[in-house]
Amino acid sequence: MDEVGRVSGSINNCPALVLNADFRPLSYFPLSLWSWQETVKAVFLDRVNIVSEYDRVVRSPSIEMRLPSVISLKEYIPTARRPAFTRFNVFLRDRFSCQYCGDAFPTPDLTFDHIVPRSRGGRTVWRNVVTACGCCNLEKGSRLPRESGMYPRTAPYEPSTRQLQENGRAFPPNFLHESWRDFLYWDTELDPV
Ligand SMILES: [Zn+2]
């Protein structure tokens, strides 16, 4: 397939937002996006419906089509009931903010802290692990909360997939095509301009 005409910007900046068969994004964070090549292939395999399109057109010798900007799967993919216990999901549960000082940090600057330190028998589980910045982690060290006076702002819990998705919605990606907005409802849209 070739692109028709020359439009400014790379065609590779035209990913499609992928919705499940219930029209919710497959995931919010990271946002479920497919490259235009994957998207076109899925259209021809009849696995997706086209919900919205870009202005850009691609063509092969036999067909011409506008690139889809939003697609929905024809077959529903059930989402996992229990999210995986990973560093990233701990950060997402805690909204990328240190549970001691309350400040938000980019992922590389975050660590996780065992409320009851491992050296004191604490386990690496949802209810004993919170997001912490390097400074707070260092300060707390291997002390218990009552010894350090440092308590997490929110008692850690095992989140549901829905809770993680809700948190993910608060972090819009850098690129957001206008045809996606109806399906995402970013919190930031509610801010007065
Ligand atoms: Zn901190």
Side-chain angles (χ1 to χ4, degrees), residues 98-103 105 132-137:
C98 172
Q99 290 301 294
Y100 296 110
C101 64
D103 290 341
F105 294 88
C133 71
C135 289
C136 291
N137 205 340

Side-chain angles (χ1 to χ4, degrees), residues 1-4 11 36-37 39-44 48 50 52-60 62-69 71:
M1 280 225 163
D2 299 313
E3 188 184 358
V4 176
I11 192 172
W36 70 269
Q37 295 96 329
T39 305
V40 168
K41 193 174 160 192
V43 169
F44 281 102
V48 295
I50 297 171
S52 189
E53 297 169 324
Y54 289 103
D55 289 332
R56 298 185 92 139
V57 174
V58 290
R59 77 172 160 214
S60 72
S62 53
I63 67 112
E64 188 171 294
M65 74 181 286
R66 283 154 65 101
L67 284 183
S69 61
I71 53 175

Side-chain angles (χ1 to χ4, degrees), residues 80-129:
R81 291 232 179 91
R82 294 157 64 96
F85 178 59
T86 60
R87 278 168 75 97
F88 188 84
N89 280 346
V90 170
F91 296 161
L92 187 55
R93 179 196 64 186
D94 298 340
R95 301 172 76 92
F96 301 91
S97 60
C98 172
Q99 290 301 294
Y100 296 110
C101 64
D103 290 341
F105 294 88
T107 319
D109 297 336
L110 291 171
T111 61
F112 64 83
D113 176 66
H114 287 74
I115 297 174
V116 177
R118 272 180 295 185
S119 59
R120 313 282 287 267
R123 293 193 301 142
T124 307
V125 293
W126 283 111
R127 290 176 193 283
N128 191 47
V129 169

